[in-house]
């Protein structure tokens, strides 16, 4: 009888949740199909306005062979991610009133000028994988000027939408780890980190599928383990009080044996209250009018 009880419990459970199981299965299959499609589809570049060059080493910190290696690595990554990846190095003072007058900068602030220079370079060359000026892509600007050494990461399109402030910092930290001893390795790390953060075609659907399926797995395990537990010796059988197919209540009298009620008054403070806070944020718009996101690190 115990085995029959287990089988009936499992049968009832699967029957009750059958539509949920079917829906989850369809969702999981759709997620896997979408992930495979996203990874295998060929999305040709739609922007023919931007130059083909991706590595602008004005600071001359890379050898010719290193520049060529970066171009090949970037080209391969762009084909996989469908975004433009640009690197610009230079060595120039971008801070203070003198720098403003000498180079025609709009601000005396280092970070503001780095952001403007990166965004302007992107806009003027009309970078963007799917369209010029405001298309999908990312640009790393590295200033090697003594005393003002640092980088700014400018993001556009899908990269701007995807990257959080933490993601941007993660890319810049990857550059910081190697730039002082091996600039070539630092810039490969830049491309690699962007690729890791952008390559979510499988990880995101898989995560959503896991979130959907995991509760089902837990529920099944719980149901099976609960049904398989042995009934305690003093447990009343399911049909113990059933006679002739109808329930029969043996004891029709409720007897109050003991009553012990304790009451406690909870004092309230009439002067108590609460509060809150609010915050906000924004984004930078370059002189050309396109919206970009990004962040800077200064050494």
């Amino acid at each position: 009888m115990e085995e029959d009880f287990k089988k009936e419990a499992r049968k009832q459970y699967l029957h009750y949740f059958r539509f949920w199981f079917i829906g989850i299965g369809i969702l999981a299959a759709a997620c896997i199909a979408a992930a495979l499609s996203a990874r295998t589809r060929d999305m040709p570049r739609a922007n023919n306005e931007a130059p083909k060059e991706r590595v602008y080493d004005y600071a001359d910190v890379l050898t010719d062979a290193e520049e060529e290696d970066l171009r090949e690595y970037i080209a391969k990554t762009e084909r996989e991610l469908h975004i433009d990846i640009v690197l610009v190095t230079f060595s120039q003072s971008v801070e203070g009133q003198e720098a403003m007058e000498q180079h025609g900068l709009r601000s005396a602030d280092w970070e503001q000028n780095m952001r403007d220079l990166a965004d302007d370079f992107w806009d003027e060359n009309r970078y963007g994988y799917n369209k010029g000026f405001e298309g999908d892509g990312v640009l790393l600007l590295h200033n090697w000027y003594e005393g003002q050494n640092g980088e700014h990461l400018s993001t556009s399109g899908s990269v701007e939408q995807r990257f959080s402030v933490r993601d941007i910092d993660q890319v810049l930290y990857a550059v910081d780890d190697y730039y002082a001893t091996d600039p070539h390795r630092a810039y490969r790390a830049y491309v690699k980190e962007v690729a890791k953060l952008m390559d979510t075609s499988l990880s995101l659907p898989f995560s959503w599928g896991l979130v959907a399926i995991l509760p089902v797995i837990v529920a099944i395990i719980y149901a099976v383990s609960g049904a398989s537990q042995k009934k305690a010796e003093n447990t009343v059988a399911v049909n113990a009080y059933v006679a002739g197919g109808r329930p029969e209540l043996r004891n029709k009298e409720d007897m109050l044996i003991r009553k012990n009620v304790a009451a406690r008054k909870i004092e309230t403070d009439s002067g108590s209250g609460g509060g809150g806070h609010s915050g906000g944020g924004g984004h930078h718009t370059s002189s050309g009018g396109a919206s970009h996101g990004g962040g800077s690190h200064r050494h």
Side-chain angles (χ1 to χ4, degrees), residues 173-251:
Y173 284 134
V175 176
D176 292 346
D177 287 341
Y178 306 111
Y179 85 92
T181 56
D182 191 345
H184 173 248
R185 185 178 181 183
Y187 300 142
R188 281 189 66 96
Y190 149 58
V191 180
K192 182 179 180 180
E193 200 65 29
V194 168
K196 184 178 75 173
L197 292 169
M198 283 298 296
D199 189 16
T200 57
S201 56
L202 272 180
S203 60
L204 284 182
F206 176 77
S207 298
W208 281 109
L210 185 63
V211 169
I213 295 173
L214 189 58
V216 181
I217 297 175
V218 173
I220 293 174
I221 295 174
Y222 177 80
V224 172
S225 62
S228 63
Q229 291 178 357
K230 292 184 177 179
K231 297 187 293 292
E233 292 182 359
N234 62 345
T235 300
V236 180
V238 176
N239 59 350
Y241 295 128
V242 176
R246 298 183 62 182
E248 179 180 341
L249 189 60
R250 299 295 188 186
N251 188 356

Side-chain angles (χ1 to χ4, degrees), residues 33-48:
L36 294 175
S37 174
R39 289 189 67 89
T40 58
R41 74 178 186 269
D42 182 20
M43 184 184 294
R45 179 180 175 81
N47 176 19
N48 297 318

Side-chain angles (χ1 to χ4, degrees), residues 16 95 99 102 118 128 182 192 221 271 285:
Y16 186 81
E95 186 176 50
Q102 184 177 357
D182 191 345
K192 182 179 180 180
I221 295 174
T285 302

Side-chain angles (χ1 to χ4, degrees), residues 7-299:
K7 290 181 179 179
E8 183 64 24
R10 286 193 291 267
K11 181 180 178 181
Q12 291 297 327
Y13 178 83
L14 294 174
H15 177 77
Y16 186 81
F17 291 106
R18 65 188 185 281
F19 294 113
W20 193 32
F21 290 140
I22 293 173
I24 292 298
I26 294 173
L27 177 62
C31 288
I32 294 173
L36 294 175
S37 174
R39 289 189 67 89
T40 58
R41 74 178 186 269
D42 182 20
M43 184 184 294
R45 179 180 175 81
N47 176 19
N48 297 318
E49 299 178 276
K52 294 182 178 180
E53 185 61 76
R54 295 293 186 272
V55 180
Y56 298 87
D57 184 27
Y58 299 128
D60 198 24
V61 296
L62 300 169
T63 65
D64 292 342
E66 289 172 340
E67 287 186 32
E68 189 60 31
D69 175 76
L70 281 172
R71 291 189 185 97
E72 294 177 0
Y73 186 36
I74 288 174
K76 175 179 177 294
T77 306
E78 285 184 344
R79 288 192 297 268
E80 295 173 352
L81 301 180
H82 310 131
I83 63 173
D84 279 356
I85 303 174
V86 183
L87 168 67
V88 181
T89 73
F90 73 112
S91 181
Q92 172 184 307
S93 174
V94 294
E95 186 176 50
Q97 187 65 33
E98 184 178 347
M100 288 181 61
E101 297 173 358
Q102 184 177 357
H103 303 293
L105 300 172
R106 293 185 283 270
S107 171
D109 179 67
W110 179 90
E111 185 170 352
Q112 179 65 55
N113 287 331
M114 288 288 289
R115 179 164 57 248
D116 288 345
L117 289 170
D119 292 350
D120 289 347
F121 192 93
W122 179 273
D123 294 344
E124 290 166 5
N125 287 281
R126 304 192 70 82
Y127 279 113
Y129 191 88
N130 52 329
K131 57 183 175 179
F133 192 56
E134 56 184 11
D136 302 337
V138 59
L139 181 148
L140 177 70
L141 178 71
H142 190 164
N143 186 3
W144 285 82
Y145 191 80
E146 186 177 356
Q148 297 182 25
N149 194 321
E151 315 95 8
H152 177 82
L153 190 74
S154 181
T155 59
S156 178
S158 63
V159 185
E160 180 182 3
Q161 296 170 8
R162 168 66 182 86
F163 276 21
S164 63
V165 174
R166 182 178 180 180
D167 293 330
I168 291 172
D169 281 339
Q170 192 168 327
V171 174
L172 294 176
Y173 284 134
V175 176
D176 292 346
D177 287 341
Y178 306 111
Y179 85 92
T181 56
D182 191 345
H184 173 248
R185 185 178 181 183
Y187 300 142
R188 281 189 66 96
Y190 149 58
V191 180
K192 182 179 180 180
E193 200 65 29
V194 168
K196 184 178 75 173
L197 292 169
M198 283 298 296
D199 189 16
T200 57
S201 56
L202 272 180
S203 60
L204 284 182
F206 176 77
S207 298
W208 281 109
L210 185 63
V211 169
I213 295 173
L214 189 58
V216 181
I217 297 175
V218 173
I220 293 174
I221 295 174
Y222 177 80
V224 172
S225 62
S228 63
Q229 291 178 357
K230 292 184 177 179
K231 297 187 293 292
E233 292 182 359
N234 62 345
T235 300
V236 180
V238 176
N239 59 350
Y241 295 128
V242 176
R246 298 183 62 182
E248 179 180 341
L249 189 60
R250 299 295 188 186
N251 188 356
K252 298 182 180 180
E253 179 182 358
D254 290 332
M255 183 178 294
L256 183 61
I257 299 176
R258 181 169 178 264
K259 181 178 180 181
N260 183 9
V261 180
R264 180 170 63 91
K265 182 179 180 182
I266 301 177
E267 299 293 339
T268 60
D269 185 1
S270 60
S272 62
H277 67 276
S278 61
H283 64 266
H284 166 69
T285 302
S286 67
S287 60
S291 173
H292 298 281
S296 306
H297 277 189
R298 182 172 180 177
H299 313 306

